Amino acid sequence: QQKVQQSPESLIVPEGGMASLNCTSSDRNVDYFWWYRQHSGKSPKMLMSIFSNGEKEEGRFTVHLNKASLHTSLHIRDSQPSDSALYLCAASMAGGYKVVFGSGTRLLVSP
Amino acid sequence: DMKVTQMPRYLIKRMGENVLLECGQDMSHETMYWYRQDPGLGLQLIYISYDVDSNSEGDIPKGYRVSRKKREHFSLILDSAKTNQTSVYFCASSLGGNNQAPLFGEGTRLSVL
């Protein structure tokens, strides 16, 4: 079983809508979470990081973290077609700098 | 310019041939990674390197080995490649420390026929 699970596997939202993506770790050794975005044929690029309980906002993107449940979520408001991509959740494991990724959520923003 | 460079970008090999994938970074990052990415499986960690000659297995090391003789350079070697090693391989680097997000190269698309 993957240590980092993401849901949903795929998501379609209309342009201007809100996209909500979820990620949970089954390993309590997680220290930090990141969200990456990967456009088709490109490499993953780090989008946002969150290390503390609560919420962090950067422009149209908001991440939440609940450390007790090891759950993080990414919310994209006013979604644009350029947001269409694979969104990967990553977690670093304590004691070794190991970074593991979920299998991703494929977001399609329809014009 | 902070960058992770992978060579080659595309590679076609026959089953049983040896494969060498190269990765370099110009940031003097301590930690480097090799991942493979297959549809529906996200990024799977093959090996992690903490510095020169200090390497550790990731989640799927079988069939792979690595070499790191200089801090800026990390190689992935497939001895006698198999068809199920057809994949996109990504190298990444970070400063080290659990709160440092890996920075990825552009990837190598490997096909083993």
Side-chain angles (χ1 to χ4, degrees):
Chain A
Q1 185 192 11
Q2 279 195 295
K3 293 181 180 179
V4 175
Q5 293 89 38
Q6 291 187 244
S7 64
E9 285 186 15
S10 61
L11 182 63
I12 302 174
V13 298
E15 184 174 355
M18 171 77 85
S20 295
L21 293 68
N22 297 292
C23 172
T24 303
S25 173
S26 58
D27 190 328
R28 297 214 68 85
N29 286 321
V30 166
D31 266 351
Y32 302 102
F33 284 98
W34 297 279
W35 284 93
Y36 280 74
R37 181 166 69 180
Q38 185 179 22
H39 285 108
S40 182
K42 303 293 186 183
S43 63
K45 302 281 193 296
M46 199 273 284
L47 190 62
M48 291 189 73
S49 62
I50 187 157
F51 301 155
S52 307
N53 265 333
E55 177 181 301
K56 181 178 175 182
E57 183 177 331
E58 291 180 1
R60 298 185 292 109
F61 299 86
T62 302
V63 289
H64 295 266
L65 175 62
N66 181 325
K67 290 194 96 169
S69 61
L70 296 176
H71 179 262
T72 177
S73 57
L74 173 68
H75 306 271
I76 308 172
R77 62 176 172 82
D78 189 25
S79 296
Q80 301 298 307
S82 58
D83 294 327
S84 297
L86 180 68
Y87 288 80
L88 295 160
C89 175
S92 71
M93 299 295 161
Y97 306 169
K98 188 174 173 182
V99 177
V100 295
F101 285 78
S103 54
T105 292
R106 190 162 297 280
L107 173 66
L108 176 63
V109 180
S110 58
Chain B
D1 190 25
M2 299 192 301
K3 200 173 177 182
V4 177
T5 304
Q6 291 187 237
M7 293 291 287
R9 293 292 314 279
Y10 302 91
L11 187 60
I12 300 175
K13 287 286 193 178
R14 296 191 184 280
M15 190 170 60
E17 290 184 328
N18 297 332
V19 178
L20 173 64
L21 304 184
E22 314 239 38
C23 175
Q25 47 97 359
D26 59 3
M27 299 158 283
S28 208
H29 281 174
E30 297 169 352
T31 307
M32 296 187 75
Y33 307 81
W34 276 107
Y35 291 88
R36 65 177 281 177
Q37 186 174 34
D38 303 289
L41 292 178
L43 289 157
Q44 296 177 271
L45 180 63
I46 305 171
Y47 268 94
I48 179 173
S49 174
Y50 300 104
D51 212 327
V52 172
D53 283 331
S54 179
N55 307 316
S56 182
E57 293 181 347
D59 296 321
I60 54 160
K62 188 177 178 184
Y64 304 95
R65 61 183 174 93
V66 292
S67 174
R68 192 164 180 205
K69 297 301 181 185
K70 293 182 180 180
R71 178 174 278 193
E72 64 270 19
H73 192 253
F74 190 34
S75 301
L76 180 70
I77 302 121
L78 289 66
D79 295 313
S80 188
K82 300 171 181 53
T83 55
N84 62 7
Q85 292 178 308
T86 292
S87 187
V88 180
Y89 290 86
F90 286 102
C91 174
S93 73
S94 72
L95 265 172
N98 281 11
N99 62 345
Q100 301 296 316
L103 174 70
F104 282 82
E106 292 304 307
T108 295
R109 185 173 295 274
L110 171 67
S111 294
V112 182
L113 306 177

